Amino acid sequence: MDKNTRQSLFEKARQAAEKSYSPYSKFRVGAAILCKDGSVFTGTNVENRSFGLTICAERSALTAAISAGKTEFEAVVIATPDADYPVSPCGACRQVLSEFLGKDAEIDFGASADALQSSTMGELFPFDALHELGKRS
Ligand code: THU
């Protein structure tokens, strides 16, 4: 992903974070997912008073894209404006993203566009044998 695309995705993720519903953690997160056709979908974290039902920004963005009929993705950029360090996707989000993102898909996260940690799906979710099982027919 080139620098301009990364910056523009970060800005969309940052704007999504402003919509965060996070009265419990007060930790806003935004995510922007780039589809292979060039379209972009965003999501934010949506908390719940039954804490375990919280939906992270990454799953929020992915489900918005899937709901619009997209199934092929190139990259995800995650903005965590309330932390001055990069916050990587949680284990549940890694599992869910890996359902649709190939191991080379780029996943970047950070508090600002110039301090993004770059990663890939394969680095965040290695040894994904279940993904291979899904290809059996
Ligand atoms: N959160 C995300 O949305 N994505 C992450 O990658 C890390 C955590 C949310 C969940 C919860 O609403 C808040 O951040 C604190 O954990």
Side-chain angles (χ1 to χ4, degrees):
M1 185 166 43
D2 64 49
K3 200 175 167 217
N4 282 349
T5 308
R6 190 181 290 112
Q7 291 233 340
S8 130
L9 287 174
F10 180 83
E11 182 50 25
K12 289 187 164 83
R14 197 196 58 72
Q15 284 173 13
E18 286 175 7
K19 306 255 174 14
S20 170
Y21 177 74
S22 45
Y24 306 105
S25 72
K26 303 202 172 6
F27 190 76
R28 298 168 301 164
V29 186
I33 186 163
L34 174 64
C35 307
K36 287 212 167 136
D37 67 4
S39 55
V40 177
F41 291 81
T42 60
T44 191
N45 54 329
V46 182
E47 298 187 343
N48 189 271
R49 62 194 183 283
S50 177
F51 295 163
L53 296 179
T54 290
I55 301 167
C56 296
E58 297 89 328
R59 276 175 287 150
S60 186
L62 179 71
T63 52
I66 300 287
S67 302
K70 311 297 174 182
T71 50
E72 295 191 309
F73 305 104
E74 217 163 282
V76 182
V77 174
I78 302 149
T80 52
D82 298 322
D84 50 10
Y85 52 88
V87 175
S88 65
C90 77
C93 286
R94 295 178 194 209
Q95 170 79 47
V96 171
L97 289 171
S98 78
E99 184 80 14
F100 295 96
L101 274 69
K103 63 179 171 44
D104 295 326
E106 190 170 328
I107 302 182
D108 299 340
F109 40 93
S112 66
D114 48 4
L116 278 177
Q117 172 69 52
S118 248
S119 185
T120 64
M121 188 73 251
E123 285 169 350
L124 294 177
F125 199 65
F127 307 111
D128 182 12
L130 280 175
H131 202 266
E132 292 305 310
L133 283 179
K135 290 178 189 153
R136 293 182 175 206
S137 53

